[in-house]
Amino acid sequence: MRVHGRARRAAVLTGAALLVTGVLAGCDSPSSTRPDQAGPGQPDWKRCAAPEGGTEPGDAWRCTTVDVPLDYAKPDGDTIGIALIRKEATRKSERIGSMLFNFGGPGGSGVDILPRAAGAYQKLNTRYDLVGFDPRGVAGSSGVHCRDDKEQEEASRGIDMTPDTPAEEAAFVEDGADFGAGCARLSGTVLPHVGTTNAARDMDAIRRALGDRKLSYFGISYGTELGGTYAHLFPENVGRVVLDAVVDPTADTVGHARNQATGFQRALENYLKDRGQDPEAGTRRMAEMLRRIDGDPLPTSSGRRLNETLALTGIVTPLYSRSSWPQLTQALDEAENSGTGDGLLQLADSYNGRDENGHYDTQSHSQRAISCADTRARPTAAEARALVPGFRELSPVFGPFLAWDTAGWCARWPVEGEHDTPEASAPGAAPILVIGTTGDPATPYEGAQRMADELGEGVGVMLTNEGEGHGSYGGSGCVTSLVDAYFLDGKVPADGRTCS
């Protein structure tokens, strides 16, 4: 399990629009050409095939591929195809332009997610073409592949992600190294080039291919890091950009893990309060349950056993959205009172992309490859072990896993990372709306303010959503109406506005 940034929320939420109040800002319309005015060299849109493991999106959607340099340092060298999907604006006479989406991960497939999520963006679709893409190294864009299903299952069953003995620790680190070696063996050509900076450059190539003078973009979770990187590289091309559920651009590998220990513990305590339980006592009870499962995994009706890592993943999954809290309650009641782990295992499988036939999707492969291409940090097992006591104080439930994860994720990774922290400063860019939710578990609220500060004065516009869950658009009527007014009318909320 890797919790930071995984695309959990496929924007299936809906919310009633409220009356908007905002300050009219000088946001230029980002469009330059209509989709039916495409000139030579622009994409050839065709009916979409069903993505792997998915269903055909339907008649309203069209797909294409845009070729970009594999290595931007060699613009005339080999190319890579970036997969796109589009649904045209429903009011073509009032069309503003294209709106590009990234729903998170890293590793989430926009070609797969956007058609399923589009119901939440119907109002924006009246005047924008909705466009999703698979970033390089993801799904239809030369998706990274590192392990087969059997190897994934063996690791899921056999590797203790919070090792307690030297033998478990050695197996944990070796498994991380083996995963990286598999990526190099099966996806070695693309592996050195899948970082966020190159994906941001691809976004500008997509903008040009779509015929838009400025980029309109909606980034969620990891998509906010991608959006901040784009704004830094191409401030003059920023149109109307919204960043929701924001990744802290000032945090390094350990900082992200520490942020998430804080964020998930905060969400867990809010969940326990909602159940009428004392948060401190509830946390102790849950940590003790995980300790027992570590020594004696729970049986399930499938014959598989629920180990500590799978149980923890099952607890994490429903914390992403308040609407999923009842599922967590049911699964915990089963584990604690019946001594079986079916509910938590089902939640963990959903998170891990495992279907009932034992087939795993490859989002975690892409996520790992992109994350490790981005960061130079390669903490050792000894360094991770030293973090555990402090992380356990932050969160007795999530802290130990997140401390160890700093070492296992990119252990002996075959590609050198790009930076310690991403650059997001964007002097001269148009106003960018940055939204933080106070109870967000995966990208804690504090990171949104840091992103707004990093973007710079007059660029980062902070909007606070007082609520629970990972992301706010579609869940908060106030946020949804403000975002709609920003995208459709160019109205930028006052910096520091709060939706409660």
Side-chain angles (χ1 to χ4, degrees):
M1 179 187 65
R2 174 74 161 187
V3 293
H4 31 303
R6 181 168 170 88
R8 285 286 316 143
R9 185 176 169 274
V12 295
L13 301 176
T14 59
L18 302 180
L19 292 177
V20 63
T21 59
V23 180
L24 184 62
C27 290
D28 294 334
S29 173
S31 67
S32 62
T33 64
R34 291 168 54 86
D36 54 358
Q37 296 174 327
Q42 290 190 314
D44 180 20
W45 296 95
K46 298 180 179 179
R47 186 180 178 91
C48 303
E52 182 182 358
T55 58
E56 189 175 311
D59 290 340
W61 296 89
R62 291 294 182 269
C63 290
T64 193
T65 299
V66 172
D67 289 333
V68 298
L70 174 65
D71 183 350
Y72 276 92
K74 300 175 182 178
D76 297 324
D78 293 338
T79 62
I80 183 174
I82 304 300
L84 304 181
I85 191 167
R86 181 179 72 179
K87 184 176 184 289
E88 291 185 10
T90 57
R91 299 179 190 169
K92 294 185 180 180
S93 64
E94 302 175 36
R95 179 181 179 272
I96 295 173
S98 306
M99 182 180 297
L100 194 63
F101 287 81
N102 183 283
F103 294 94
S109 167
V111 172
D112 178 36
I113 296 173
L114 182 57
R116 296 187 284 113
Y121 304 102
Q122 287 183 353
K123 189 168 184 177
L124 298 177
N125 190 208
T126 59
R127 301 186 65 197
Y128 285 93
D129 300 341
L130 305 184
V131 180
F133 72 110
D134 290 350
R136 55 174 57 212
V138 176
S141 300
S142 297
V144 171
H145 185 70
C146 306
R147 273 182 173 166
D148 62 26
D149 291 336
K150 180 181 178 182
E151 291 167 325
Q152 295 252 112
E153 190 69 29
E154 288 175 350
S156 175
R157 292 180 179 180
I159 301 301
D160 191 332
M161 304 299 284
T162 55
D164 305 303
T165 67
E168 288 182 347
E169 187 176 307
F172 167 76
V173 174
E174 190 59 36
D175 178 70
D178 179 74
F179 191 96
C183 296
R185 184 175 66 256
L186 299 173
S187 300
T189 300
V190 72
L191 202 63
H193 307 289
V194 297
T196 298
T197 296
N198 282 334
R201 294 188 179 110
D202 294 342
M203 285 169 55
D204 205 56
I206 293 169
R207 175 193 62 80
R208 295 192 303 271
L210 294 172
D212 288 317
R213 187 170 58 85
K214 301 281 188 178
L215 179 76
S216 290
Y217 174 73
F218 202 138
I220 302 166
S221 192
Y222 162 77
T224 66
E225 181 178 331
L226 183 55
T229 300
Y230 179 89
H232 173 69
L233 293 175
F234 305 102
E236 70 282 2
N237 295 338
V238 170
R240 298 172 188 173
V241 171
V242 168
L243 307 179
D244 187 7
V246 182
V247 176
D248 182 355
T250 70
D252 60 11
T253 293
V254 174
H256 279 306
R258 187 174 286 113
N259 287 348
Q260 289 207 313
T262 301
F264 277 101
Q265 182 61 34
R266 182 186 295 161
L268 179 63
E269 291 177 3
N270 290 342
Y271 160 76
L272 291 167
K273 290 176 186 176
D274 187 71
R275 289 190 68 189
Q277 298 182 17
D278 175 67
E280 186 174 345
T283 295
R284 284 198 305 269
R285 190 180 70 253
M286 208 168 295
E288 176 58 25
M289 181 190 74
L290 290 170
R291 188 193 66 76
R292 292 195 305 271
I293 291 174
D294 188 31
D296 186 16
L298 298 182
T300 71
S301 59
S302 68
R304 297 161 63 204
R305 296 184 71 82
L306 182 84
N307 60 26
E308 181 191 22
T309 300
L310 290 170
L312 186 64
T313 307
I315 293 168
V316 159
T317 302
L319 290 179
Y320 276 82
S321 172
R322 184 170 190 149
S323 64
S324 298
W325 286 3
Q327 292 176 263
L328 178 57
T329 299
Q330 185 176 358
L332 288 174
D333 285 348
E334 179 202 0
E336 293 176 322
N337 298 323
S338 300
T340 55
D342 288 271
L344 287 174
L345 183 61
Q346 183 179 13
L347 288 165
D349 284 348
S350 172
Y351 187 99
N352 290 330
R354 184 191 189 277
D355 67 22
E356 60 185 11
N357 298 317
H359 174 64
Y360 288 83
D361 67 29
T362 59
Q363 180 175 324
S364 63
H365 304 204
S366 301
Q367 183 184 33
R368 199 153 172 171
I370 295 168
S371 298
C372 297
D374 281 349
T375 179
R376 282 196 292 255
R378 303 290 188 261
T380 65
E383 290 169 332
R385 194 187 319 116
L387 292 173
V388 171
F391 271 63
R392 184 176 281 115
E393 287 187 19
L394 288 174
S395 174
V397 173
F398 306 108
F401 167 83
L402 286 164
W404 278 109
D405 190 51
T406 61
W409 192 241
C410 297
R412 301 206 299 271
W413 194 254
V415 174
E416 185 177 348
E418 181 181 351
H419 48 58
D420 295 319
T421 61
E423 180 59 71
S425 61
I432 294 173
L433 186 55
V434 180
I435 309 170
T437 296
T438 54
D440 191 319
T443 52
Y445 169 75
E446 294 81 1
Q449 185 61 67
R450 292 178 189 132
M451 174 66 84
D453 292 342
E454 286 290 302
L455 288 168
E457 186 175 356
V459 179
V461 177
M462 182 67 193
L463 173 61
T464 296
N465 175 45
E466 293 182 341
E468 301 297 327
H470 188 45
S472 58
Y473 185 86
S476 163
C478 171
V479 169
T480 303
S481 62
L482 290 172
V483 169
D484 288 347
Y486 168 68
F487 273 131
L488 296 172
D489 303 317
K491 294 181 178 179
V492 181
D495 186 29
R497 175 77 184 269
T498 295
C499 283
S500 57

